[in-house]
Protein backbone atom coordinates (compact mmCIF):
# COMPACT_ATOMS: atom_id res chain seq x y z
CA UNK A 1 0.00 0.00 0.00
CA UNK A 2 2.91 2.36 0.66
CA UNK A 3 4.17 1.88 -2.92
CA UNK A 4 0.67 2.00 -4.39
CA UNK A 5 -0.05 5.27 -2.57
CA UNK A 6 3.22 6.73 -3.83
CA UNK A 7 2.97 5.74 -7.48
CA UNK A 8 -0.75 5.64 -8.15
CA UNK A 9 -2.82 7.61 -5.66
CA UNK A 10 -0.31 10.40 -5.07
CA UNK A 11 2.03 10.39 -8.06
CA UNK A 12 -0.30 9.78 -10.99
CA UNK A 13 -1.51 12.25 -13.60
CA UNK A 14 -4.68 11.73 -15.65
CA UNK A 15 -5.25 13.22 -19.12
CA UNK A 16 -8.31 15.45 -19.18
CA UNK A 17 -8.32 16.11 -15.41
CA UNK A 18 -6.59 18.88 -13.49
CA UNK A 19 -4.46 17.58 -10.63
CA UNK A 20 -4.37 19.76 -7.52
CA UNK A 21 -1.96 18.61 -4.80
CA UNK A 22 -1.60 20.18 -1.36
CA UNK A 23 0.46 19.08 1.62
CA UNK A 24 -2.15 16.62 2.84
CA UNK A 25 -4.46 15.88 -0.11
CA UNK A 26 -4.51 15.21 -3.86
CA UNK A 27 -7.61 15.79 -5.97
CA UNK A 28 -8.48 15.58 -9.64
CA UNK A 29 -10.98 17.99 -11.16
CA UNK A 30 -12.81 17.07 -14.35
CA UNK A 31 -13.75 19.65 -16.96
CA UNK A 32 -17.28 18.27 -17.14
CA UNK A 33 -19.87 17.65 -14.49
CA UNK A 34 -18.68 14.15 -13.59
CA UNK A 35 -15.39 12.41 -12.92
CA UNK A 36 -13.85 14.55 -10.16
CA UNK A 37 -12.41 12.75 -7.15
CA UNK A 38 -10.08 12.75 -4.17
CA UNK A 39 -7.27 10.30 -4.90
CA UNK A 40 -5.07 10.57 -1.83
CA UNK A 41 -5.02 12.14 1.62
CA UNK A 42 -2.94 12.20 4.80
CA UNK A 43 -5.23 13.23 7.64
CA UNK A 44 -5.81 12.48 11.30
CA UNK A 45 -8.65 12.86 13.78
CA UNK A 46 -7.76 16.53 14.30
CA UNK A 47 -7.61 17.56 10.61
CA UNK A 48 -10.10 15.28 8.86
CA UNK A 49 -13.34 17.21 9.41
CA UNK A 50 -11.88 20.54 8.32
CA UNK A 51 -10.41 18.90 5.20
CA UNK A 52 -13.74 17.29 4.32
CA UNK A 53 -15.56 20.60 4.74
CA UNK A 54 -12.97 22.40 2.62
CA UNK A 55 -13.40 19.95 -0.27
CA UNK A 56 -17.19 20.16 -0.06
CA UNK A 57 -16.89 23.95 -0.28
CA UNK A 58 -14.44 23.72 -3.17
CA UNK A 59 -16.51 21.40 -5.35
CA UNK A 60 -19.81 23.05 -4.39
CA UNK A 61 -18.45 26.37 -5.65
CA UNK A 62 -17.70 24.64 -8.97
CA UNK A 63 -21.07 22.88 -9.00
CA UNK A 64 -19.34 19.51 -9.49
CA UNK A 65 -20.14 16.26 -7.68
CA UNK A 66 -17.09 14.29 -6.59
CA UNK A 67 -15.98 10.98 -5.14
CA UNK A 68 -13.77 10.35 -2.13
CA UNK A 69 -12.29 6.87 -2.34
CA UNK A 70 -11.26 5.31 0.96
CA UNK A 71 -9.07 2.29 1.65
CA UNK A 72 -9.33 0.59 5.03
CA UNK A 73 -5.62 1.27 5.52
CA UNK A 74 -6.24 5.04 5.35
CA UNK A 75 -6.22 7.31 8.37
CA UNK A 76 -8.07 8.27 10.36
CA UNK A 77 -9.71 4.88 10.73
CA UNK A 78 -13.16 6.46 10.97
CA UNK A 79 -12.84 8.59 7.82
CA UNK A 80 -15.80 6.78 6.24
CA UNK A 81 -18.06 7.63 9.17
CA UNK A 82 -16.94 11.24 9.02
CA UNK A 83 -17.68 11.46 5.29
CA UNK A 84 -21.19 10.11 5.83
CA UNK A 85 -21.76 12.65 8.61
CA UNK A 86 -20.88 15.38 6.11
CA UNK A 87 -23.41 14.17 3.54
CA UNK A 88 -21.49 11.64 1.44
CA UNK A 89 -23.23 8.52 0.18
CA UNK A 90 -21.22 5.29 0.53
CA UNK A 91 -21.00 2.95 -2.45
CA UNK A 92 -20.51 -0.80 -2.41
CA UNK A 93 -17.24 -1.90 -0.78
CA UNK A 94 -14.83 -3.85 -3.02
CA UNK A 95 -11.74 -5.94 -2.43
CA UNK A 96 -8.51 -4.20 -3.42
CA UNK A 97 -6.32 -7.07 -4.64
CA UNK A 98 -2.88 -7.41 -6.20
CA UNK A 99 -1.12 -9.99 -8.34
CA UNK A 100 2.68 -10.30 -8.28
CA UNK A 101 3.27 -10.93 -11.98
CA UNK A 102 6.58 -12.69 -11.32
CA UNK A 103 4.41 -15.63 -10.26
CA UNK A 104 3.05 -15.93 -13.82
CA UNK A 105 5.89 -17.72 -15.59
CA UNK A 106 4.29 -18.24 -19.02
CA UNK A 107 1.66 -16.46 -21.14
CA UNK A 108 -1.91 -17.51 -20.38
CA UNK A 109 -3.99 -19.08 -23.13
CA UNK A 110 -5.94 -16.53 -25.15
CA UNK A 111 -9.21 -17.16 -26.96
CA UNK A 112 -9.95 -15.26 -30.17
CA UNK A 113 -12.72 -13.26 -28.53
CA UNK A 114 -11.30 -10.02 -27.20
CA UNK A 115 -11.51 -7.18 -29.70
CA UNK A 116 -9.31 -4.22 -28.86
CA UNK A 117 -11.23 -0.99 -29.47
CA UNK A 118 -9.65 2.42 -29.95
CA UNK A 119 -12.26 4.70 -31.52
CA UNK A 120 -15.27 6.42 -30.00
CA UNK A 121 -17.71 3.77 -31.25
CA UNK A 122 -15.73 0.87 -29.81
CA UNK A 123 -15.02 2.55 -26.49
CA UNK A 124 -18.70 3.46 -26.35
CA UNK A 125 -19.50 -0.25 -26.76
CA UNK A 126 -17.28 -1.03 -23.74
CA UNK A 127 -19.11 1.58 -21.68
CA UNK A 128 -22.51 0.33 -22.88
CA UNK A 129 -21.72 -3.03 -21.28
CA UNK A 130 -20.97 -1.29 -17.96
CA UNK A 131 -24.22 0.64 -18.05
CA UNK A 132 -26.26 -2.50 -18.73
CA UNK A 133 -24.53 -4.53 -16.02
CA UNK A 134 -24.50 -1.87 -13.29
CA UNK A 135 -27.64 0.06 -14.24
CA UNK A 136 -26.18 3.55 -14.00
CA UNK A 137 -24.68 6.30 -16.11
CA UNK A 138 -21.02 5.83 -17.12
CA UNK A 139 -20.68 8.89 -19.36
CA UNK A 140 -17.91 10.25 -17.14
CA UNK A 141 -15.95 7.04 -17.61
CA UNK A 142 -16.47 7.25 -21.37
CA UNK A 143 -15.03 10.77 -21.42
CA UNK A 144 -12.09 9.65 -19.29
CA UNK A 145 -11.21 6.74 -21.57
CA UNK A 146 -11.53 8.85 -24.73
CA UNK A 147 -9.27 11.51 -23.23
CA UNK A 148 -6.79 8.87 -22.08
CA UNK A 149 -6.57 7.21 -25.49
CA UNK A 150 -6.19 10.57 -27.22
CA UNK A 151 -3.44 11.81 -24.89
CA UNK A 152 -1.56 8.57 -24.24
CA UNK A 153 -2.68 5.77 -26.57
CA UNK A 154 -0.29 3.16 -25.17
CA UNK A 155 -1.35 3.66 -21.55
CA UNK A 156 -4.70 1.89 -21.92
CA UNK A 157 -5.96 -1.15 -23.81
CA UNK A 158 -9.74 -1.54 -23.99
CA UNK A 159 -11.36 -4.82 -25.00
CA UNK A 160 -14.89 -5.82 -25.97
CA UNK A 161 -16.40 -9.26 -26.58
CA UNK A 162 -19.20 -9.18 -29.16
CA UNK A 163 -22.11 -11.46 -29.96
CA UNK A 164 -22.41 -10.54 -33.61
CA UNK A 165 -22.45 -6.76 -33.44
CA UNK A 166 -23.75 -6.61 -29.86
CA UNK A 167 -21.20 -5.83 -27.11
CA UNK A 168 -21.71 -8.34 -24.29
CA UNK A 169 -18.52 -8.19 -22.20
CA UNK A 170 -15.81 -5.58 -21.73
CA UNK A 171 -12.75 -4.63 -19.69
CA UNK A 172 -9.63 -2.50 -19.86
CA UNK A 173 -6.11 -2.20 -18.45
CA UNK A 174 -4.33 1.06 -17.60
CA UNK A 175 -0.62 1.54 -16.89
CA UNK A 176 2.11 4.19 -16.97
CA UNK A 177 5.79 3.75 -17.69
CA UNK A 178 6.91 5.24 -14.36
CA UNK A 179 4.80 2.99 -12.13
CA UNK A 180 5.28 -0.69 -11.23
CA UNK A 181 1.49 -1.06 -11.14
CA UNK A 182 -1.16 -1.58 -13.80
CA UNK A 183 -4.87 -1.55 -13.04
CA UNK A 184 -7.49 -3.78 -14.58
CA UNK A 185 -10.92 -2.18 -14.60
CA UNK A 186 -14.41 -2.56 -15.94
CA UNK A 187 -14.51 -6.34 -16.19
CA UNK A 188 -18.22 -7.07 -16.70
CA UNK A 189 -20.46 -9.36 -18.72
CA UNK A 190 -24.14 -8.88 -19.51
CA UNK A 191 -26.11 -11.34 -17.37
CA UNK A 192 -27.48 -13.57 -20.12
CA UNK A 193 -23.97 -14.10 -21.54
CA UNK A 194 -22.31 -15.19 -18.31
CA UNK A 195 -20.89 -18.68 -17.92
CA UNK A 196 -19.24 -18.63 -21.35
CA UNK A 197 -15.75 -17.75 -20.12
CA UNK A 198 -15.77 -14.17 -21.38
CA UNK A 199 -14.57 -12.65 -18.09
CA UNK A 200 -11.70 -15.15 -17.91
CA UNK A 201 -10.78 -14.48 -21.55
CA UNK A 202 -10.54 -10.75 -20.82
CA UNK A 203 -8.53 -11.48 -17.69
CA UNK A 204 -6.04 -13.66 -19.58
CA UNK A 205 -5.63 -10.96 -22.21
CA UNK A 206 -4.87 -8.25 -19.68
CA UNK A 207 -2.50 -10.38 -17.59
CA UNK A 208 -0.55 -11.14 -20.76
CA UNK A 209 -0.55 -7.45 -21.71
CA UNK A 210 0.88 -6.52 -18.31
CA UNK A 211 3.61 -9.18 -18.53
CA UNK A 212 4.64 -7.98 -21.99
CA UNK A 213 4.99 -4.43 -20.69
CA UNK A 214 7.13 -5.52 -17.74
CA UNK A 215 4.60 -4.52 -15.09
CA UNK A 216 5.45 -5.77 -11.59
CA UNK A 217 2.00 -5.79 -9.99
CA UNK A 218 -1.52 -5.99 -11.39
CA UNK A 219 -4.24 -4.53 -9.20
CA UNK A 220 -8.03 -4.74 -9.21
CA UNK A 221 -11.01 -3.49 -7.22
CA UNK A 222 -12.87 -6.79 -7.20
CA UNK A 223 -16.60 -7.10 -6.67
CA UNK A 224 -17.89 -10.11 -4.70
CA UNK A 225 -18.62 -11.73 -8.08
CA UNK A 226 -15.11 -11.14 -9.44
CA UNK A 227 -13.05 -11.90 -6.34
CA UNK A 228 -13.26 -15.73 -6.46
CA UNK A 229 -12.32 -15.70 -10.15
CA UNK A 230 -9.21 -13.55 -9.79
CA UNK A 231 -8.13 -15.42 -6.65
CA UNK A 232 -7.68 -18.51 -8.84
CA UNK A 233 -4.98 -16.61 -10.74
CA UNK A 234 -3.06 -15.62 -7.63
CA UNK A 235 -4.54 -12.24 -6.79
CA UNK A 236 -4.17 -11.57 -3.05
CA UNK A 237 -6.49 -9.53 -0.90
CA UNK A 238 -4.82 -6.34 0.34
CA UNK A 239 -7.59 -4.27 1.86
CA UNK A 240 -11.19 -3.13 1.36
CA UNK A 241 -11.97 0.01 -0.61
CA UNK A 242 -15.19 2.02 -0.56
CA UNK A 243 -16.23 5.00 -2.71
CA UNK A 244 -18.09 7.87 -1.09
CA UNK A 245 -19.92 10.27 -3.39
CA UNK A 246 -21.05 13.83 -2.76
CA UNK A 247 -23.71 15.48 -4.89
CA UNK A 248 -23.38 19.26 -4.95
CA UNK A 249 -26.56 21.31 -5.24
Amino acid sequence: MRDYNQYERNGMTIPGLDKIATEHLVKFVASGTSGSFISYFELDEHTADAAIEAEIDYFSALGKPFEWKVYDTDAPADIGRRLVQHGFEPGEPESFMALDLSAITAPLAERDLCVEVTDEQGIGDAIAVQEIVWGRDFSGQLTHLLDLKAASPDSAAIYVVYDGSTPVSAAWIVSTDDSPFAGIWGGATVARYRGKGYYSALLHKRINDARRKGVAYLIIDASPMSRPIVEKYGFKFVTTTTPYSYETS
Side-chain angles (χ1 to χ4, degrees), residues 19 27 100 149 151:
K19 180 180 181 178
K27 61 179 170 248
D100 182 347
K149 289 297 286 185

Side-chain angles (χ1 to χ4, degrees), residues 200-240:
S200 294
L202 290 164
L203 185 59
H204 283 209
K205 185 69 174 175
R206 292 176 294 164
I207 290 174
N208 289 340
D209 282 355
R211 290 183 71 252
R212 282 191 292 269
K213 295 188 74 171
V215 171
Y217 302 101
L218 203 55
I219 57 96
I220 184 174
D221 291 346
S223 68
M225 185 165 47
S226 300
R227 178 171 173 173
I229 300 174
V230 299
E231 281 180 327
K232 295 177 182 178
Y233 293 86
F235 280 82
K236 304 297 184 184
F237 174 80
V238 179
T239 189
T240 299

